Amino acid sequence: MSTTAETAGQTTWATGTGFEQLRTQDPELADVVLGEVQRQSNCLQLIAGENFTSPAVLAALGSPLANKYAEGYPGQRHHAGCELVDLAERLAIERATRLFGAAHANVQPYSGSSAVLAAYAALLVPGDTVLAMALPHGGHLTHGSESNFSGRWFHIVGYGVTRGTDLIDYDEVRRLAHQHRPKAIVCGSIAYPRHIDHAAFREIADDVGAYLIVDAAHTLGLVAGGAAPNPVPYADVVCATSHKTLRGPRGGLILCGADLAQRIDRAVFPFSQGGPHMHAIAAKAAALAEAATPAFAAYAHQVTANARALAEALAGQGLRISTGGTDTHLITANVSPLGATGAQARGWCAAAGIVLDKHTLPYDPEPSSVGSGIRLGTAAVTTQGMGTDEMPQVAGLIARAVRQERGIAQRVAQLVGGFPPYPPYQT
Ligand SMILES: *Cc1c(COP(=O)(O)O)cnc(C)c1O
């Protein structure tokens, strides 16, 4: 491991926060937190939904706004003393609506899952039919799974991708929509690496009188930076997370038109949540301000350029890239040509300090606990400052780790040592 990166990550993070007090008061927990900061700094972070938040976002997140109860919405709270947190929430709402061109934003969802729950609650009643991407093809648990509220309370019809191309079959979506007349159609995925044709989904939804819910949990940051098409003009409701490509705090948000504003707000509070997390909302405001800058647009375009370069380099190493490439930060790849399963690849990569997910591919012959593929993303490594020059090296390290070659961990440490995720704080 590179000791300079280790020390830099440790001391700069620790002095930029109230960490010294934690260290004195609770060294056992402080060691865990510090160890995690080191792990994030010293490994290659390729989990598709992860990123490195800025010091400004972390400052808002670690602020005493965490203490404030503020049930309700700005100007209509159930508690006293909300004048300042009202300003924080208004900033987050204004920044979100301006950035994405939406009439209304709700920034209170605790997470991406909470945002989808609220969208379903706003538009549907239990027993309604929902047409959503099937989970084995990239749908999220909240879109329609027996183990989740979605599959328990709604009648879910799943659409998928075409065998061979792994691309969404819009004709199948249309056919299923006409056959089942869903009340809502959902698009947006945990793994689909291509831009989604929002106009096609809108047309199908209009054909059958369905609402269109776009779950842009993964891609909203790319939308903010102009590196992915904006779903807002097409969707009735857009759900998202604030912590994936948007690079903010862990949390969710919802965008919609003025017509659905009140239903969405009531579906979040009081229907599915209690007091909003005002520190997280302030941190969302900070992240949304960052996401509106030219620097963030450059970041978003670099994320997709890096993903394209990485996909190409992985293909060169013998992996089979799902859909033949990527338009986003996401890559899913079949590792069976290297003689490994997804679970084995994940384990061998982890042992070398490369952190990525195993993935069950569409039509995967392996059980979902094993999978034939891996899923990775370039949002975090791009925040660290890696560019297209580094991507062939990353691909080579992944392939060599999957082939169980020795000495990969040192090379990974050497690479990430040059790109510390948390540079010195300006204090
Ligand atoms: C990540 C994700 C979610 C859930 O977000 P959480 O914050 O983990 O609850 C929902 N939908 C999609 C498509 C996602 O990728």
Side-chain angles (χ1 to χ4, degrees):
M1 296 283 158
S2 151
T3 46
T4 47
E6 206 170 284
T7 321
Q10 203 177 95
T11 53
T12 56
W13 180 83
T15 53
T17 68
F19 187 76
E20 279 311 322
Q21 189 168 349
L22 181 64
R23 192 175 351 226
T24 313
Q25 204 171 300
D26 191 344
E28 190 181 4
L29 179 61
D31 279 350
V32 173
V33 175
L34 210 49
E36 173 59 15
V37 177
Q38 283 173 19
R39 188 197 67 78
Q40 291 184 18
S41 304
N42 297 338
C43 297
L44 199 43
Q45 304 296 344
L46 294 167
I47 290 184
E50 293 185 3
N51 211 329
F52 295 106
T53 58
S54 70
V57 167
L58 288 177
L61 207 47
S63 73
L65 268 69
N67 301 333
K68 190 68 195 100
Y69 244 113
E71 280 180 358
Y73 289 99
Q76 311 157 325
R77 304 286 192 185
H78 294 259
H79 308 274
C82 292
E83 295 76 15
L84 292 167
V85 293
D86 273 7
L87 292 179
E89 185 162 349
R90 285 200 167 107
L91 278 177
I93 292 168
E94 280 165 24
R95 289 171 182 180
T97 52
R98 196 175 328 127
L99 187 54
F100 300 107
H104 183 70
N106 187 306
V107 295
Q108 293 193 3
Y110 300 146
S111 73
S113 301
S114 322
V116 179
L117 168 58
Y120 277 36
L123 304 179
L124 308 169
V125 294
D128 278 347
T129 297
V130 175
L131 177 59
M133 190 176 231
L135 261 61
H137 290 219
H140 188 257
L141 279 170
T142 52
H143 298 176
S145 164
E146 278 304 323
S147 60
N148 186 268
F149 79 85
S150 51
R152 190 88 60 85
W153 294 341
F154 300 95
H155 173 234
I156 306 295
V157 178
Y159 63 85
V161 298
T162 305
R163 190 190 281 271
T165 65
D166 290 350
L167 296 170
I168 291 175
D169 183 346
Y170 291 92
D171 291 333
E172 190 204 17
V173 177
R174 185 175 294 106
R175 187 178 60 72
L176 290 170
H178 282 272
Q179 183 183 342
H180 295 279
R181 314 298 294 189
K183 183 97 166 278
I185 299 176
V186 184
C187 63
S189 168
I190 64 162
Y192 195 66
R194 297 298 185 167
H195 292 322
I196 286 171
D197 187 345
H198 302 123
F201 270 104
R202 177 75 264 168
E203 196 185 303
I204 296 167
D206 285 343
D207 275 356
V208 297
Y211 290 113
L212 178 61
I213 300 172
V214 177
D215 184 354
H218 263 282
T219 49
L220 199 68
L222 302 180
V223 174
N230 189 356
V232 166
Y234 301 98
D236 293 291
V237 176
V238 175
C239 302
T241 67
S242 43
H243 52 273
K244 295 181 180 174
T245 53
L246 194 55
R247 210 163 68 179
R250 189 153 294 276
L253 70 155
I254 301 176
L255 305 165
C256 66
D259 51 329
L260 293 173
Q262 201 174 54
R263 278 161 75 181
I264 287 292
D265 284 354
R266 286 182 182 157
V268 175
F269 176 85
F271 185 81
S272 60
Q273 292 193 171
H277 298 175
M278 297 317 300
H279 57 311
I281 289 172
K284 287 173 200 176
L288 287 161
E290 290 175 6
T293 60
F296 193 88
Y299 162 71
H301 285 91
Q302 190 63 53
V303 167
T304 55
N306 282 352
R308 280 195 302 275
L310 182 55
E312 202 171 299
L314 286 169
Q317 295 286 347
L319 285 79
R320 264 206 309 276
I321 308 301
S322 180
T323 78
T326 177
D327 299 327
T328 63
H329 62 301
L330 271 164
I331 299 165
T332 61
N334 191 327
V335 290
S336 64
L338 302 192
T341 66
Q344 285 171 328
R346 180 184 70 173
W348 294 332
C349 282
I354 303 169
V355 189
L356 45 70
D357 285 319
K358 68 176 167 60
H359 185 63
T360 310
L361 297 159
Y363 309 104
D364 202 319
E366 297 284 352
S368 62
S369 56
V370 178
S372 295
I374 55 174
R375 181 182 62 145
L376 55 166
T378 52
V381 293
T382 307
T383 296
Q384 280 176 278
M386 291 191 202
T388 47
D389 285 353
E390 280 73 35
M391 294 303 115
Q393 210 179 326
V394 171
L397 291 168
I398 291 169
R400 292 171 67 183
V402 174
R403 291 195 198 98
Q404 295 180 274
E405 285 180 31
R406 292 174 182 280
I408 309 305
Q410 285 98 308
R411 291 181 185 279
V412 169
Q414 229 166 28
L415 173 63
V416 295
F419 298 92
Y422 288 113
Y425 279 38
Q426 311 291 321
T427 48

